[in-house]
Amino acid sequence: MKREALDRTANRPKPVQRIELSDKHFTLKTAAFIGALVILAGVLIYSVLTLLRVENGWTAIEADSGAGLGAGAEFVFNYELGADGESPAIARKALTMLYTTASVRAYQVLDARQTHMGIQNLWQVNSHPNQEVRVEPELYRALEKMESAGRWLYLGPIWESYQSLFNSASDAEAAAFDPFLDEETRAWVAEAAAYAMNPADISLRFLGNDTVCLTVSDRYAAFCRDSETTAYLDFSWMRNAFAADCIAEALIEKGYTHGTLSSLDGFTRCLDERNTLYAQNLYELQDGRGVPVGRLEYTGPMTLVTLRAFPIDPAHETHYYVYGIGDIRTAAIDPQDGLCKAAFPFLCALSRHQGCADVLLSLLPAYIADQPDETALEAIQNDDLGIVRVENGTIVTNTSLARFSPAE
């Protein structure tokens, strides 16, 4: 019995011990914890202030991606904050809002293939043939310019076909959409071009008060339905020329001129009226890639339009297709036959007083041609429109609007 009693006693849990904490230790630990929180808060505040701090100088202004699709995604907008005495933080905020609004509006107004709430855009015109449509004022002006320049505006179905070529994942896929390689595609493109060139089949009337009427014949409407094309009219690769002008005008109207706006596909509006020196590379196709062979240097304000028969950055330029053997297709389409052409592999035009759209449209007849015609280029040059081209590594120009130097 005694043994059993001893065993039961051994298995009992030990009594709970109560240990009194020192008030002194508790106070020290609390103080240390609070101190750590204060330090952490200070670090966070400093980090936030550092991120939010805006200093004077050149910076890239980006459109707010949360505002929806906009032309700003295809532009680079550099601005010198503080140059006009305004707080750089206030200026950047105002520029971001203004640039976002202007780029989104430009994109929506010029969009040929989808509607946007509250915007009477090019899609509205395409979707209502043979009806009067009131459009946004800037679209009305853009359509007038395109119409007066020739039949480029009416190539919507052909440009859509070429876009399938540019988006191809392989040379074999591209060849199926290439009128130079596929006989069926070439025949279709020729027929579409014949319709586009005939005012009796398609034309645009300007009725004043920002109202237009797209007239389409029954036979051409049937051709487009059978081809499953979605747009009679389209600015296509020229859209950013008009977008650049729309955005630039919005910036100038609000007095923001200490910067430059450039699209990835060659349309630049330098708004700067100071004596600031700007530069742009001039390129030539060598061994299947665009290589800089010189620099064009100028002071603003200045408009620059660059036309290239080859891409510089194929990953971000959507209007080209480069075959494995080096052949290149572009969106520079001749309305006469629907084929892409480039009489000059590289052209750059400058103007102090004209916008990108006006400069571009003046270049098109000489650029989109079967053969280079230097006389045609000379005919459009004047004191306010200079032209630069590159031939065999040599810069050819007679303009006084810029100076030139070797590539860096």
Side-chain angles (χ1 to χ4, degrees), residues 103-364:
S103 64
V104 168
R105 180 170 177 81
Y107 178 88
Q108 294 180 347
V109 166
L110 301 172
D111 194 342
R113 287 179 166 78
Q114 61 181 344
T115 185
H116 299 277
M117 186 177 296
I119 299 292
Q120 289 295 103
N121 65 355
L122 189 54
W123 179 90
Q124 298 286 348
V125 181
N126 281 321
S127 300
H128 297 85
N130 303 309
Q131 300 179 42
E132 294 184 7
V133 179
R134 187 168 185 178
V135 299
E136 303 300 326
E138 56 267 56
L139 176 58
Y140 189 87
R141 295 192 296 268
L143 291 173
E144 282 186 312
K145 288 183 179 182
M146 284 287 284
E147 166 69 22
S148 64
R151 301 295 290 180
W152 320 99
L153 178 64
Y154 300 103
L155 297 177
I158 300 177
W159 272 323
E160 188 171 337
S161 176
Y162 270 81
Q163 198 60 49
S164 297
L165 167 59
F166 302 142
N167 291 335
S168 297
S170 67
D171 287 0
E173 182 181 343
F177 298 103
D178 191 339
F180 290 93
L181 300 177
D182 185 83
E183 292 185 3
E184 184 177 347
T185 300
R186 191 182 186 100
W188 180 89
V189 163
E191 186 176 1
Y195 280 120
M197 287 296 296
N198 187 2
D201 285 311
I202 182 168
S203 62
L204 190 62
R205 292 188 294 130
F206 296 88
L207 308 176
N209 198 29
D210 299 328
T211 302
V212 298
C213 180
L214 174 63
T215 302
V216 180
S217 69
D218 291 341
R219 65 170 188 164
Y220 185 38
F223 172 82
C224 289
R225 282 196 303 271
D226 292 342
S227 303
E228 298 182 346
T229 59
T230 59
Y232 296 105
L233 311 178
D234 196 346
F235 291 98
S236 186
W237 65 279
M238 305 181 195
R239 185 179 67 182
N240 279 342
F242 292 89
D245 291 340
C246 290
I247 298 170
E249 289 166 9
L251 294 167
I252 292 171
E253 183 180 356
K254 297 298 183 180
Y256 289 108
T257 59
H258 295 154
T260 182
L261 176 72
S262 300
S263 74
L264 302 178
D265 50 1
F267 303 110
T268 296
R269 287 291 301 269
C270 176
L271 311 178
D272 203 336
E273 298 180 349
R274 303 169 298 172
N275 199 34
T276 304
L277 186 66
Y278 294 86
Q280 177 170 302
N281 283 333
L282 305 174
Y283 291 87
E284 185 175 54
L285 184 64
Q286 297 180 8
D287 299 324
R289 53 189 289 266
V291 177
V293 296
R295 281 165 55 88
L296 178 155
E297 299 176 344
Y298 64 95
T299 58
M302 190 74 76
T303 291
L304 293 92
V305 171
T306 300
L307 300 177
R308 291 180 277 105
F310 52 88
I312 300 299
D313 183 3
H316 296 95
E317 295 183 73
T318 59
H319 297 312
Y320 296 88
Y321 186 85
V322 181
Y323 285 95
I325 61 174
D327 290 348
I328 302 174
R329 302 292 183 257
T330 77
I333 300 169
D334 187 346
Q336 296 288 341
D337 54 18
L339 301 178
C340 65
K341 302 173 183 179
F344 300 91
F346 182 94
L347 282 181
C348 180
L350 308 87
S351 175
R352 290 204 182 279
H353 300 102
Q354 299 183 60
C356 287
D358 289 325
V359 173
L360 170 64
L361 294 175
S362 67
L363 289 176
L364 288 183

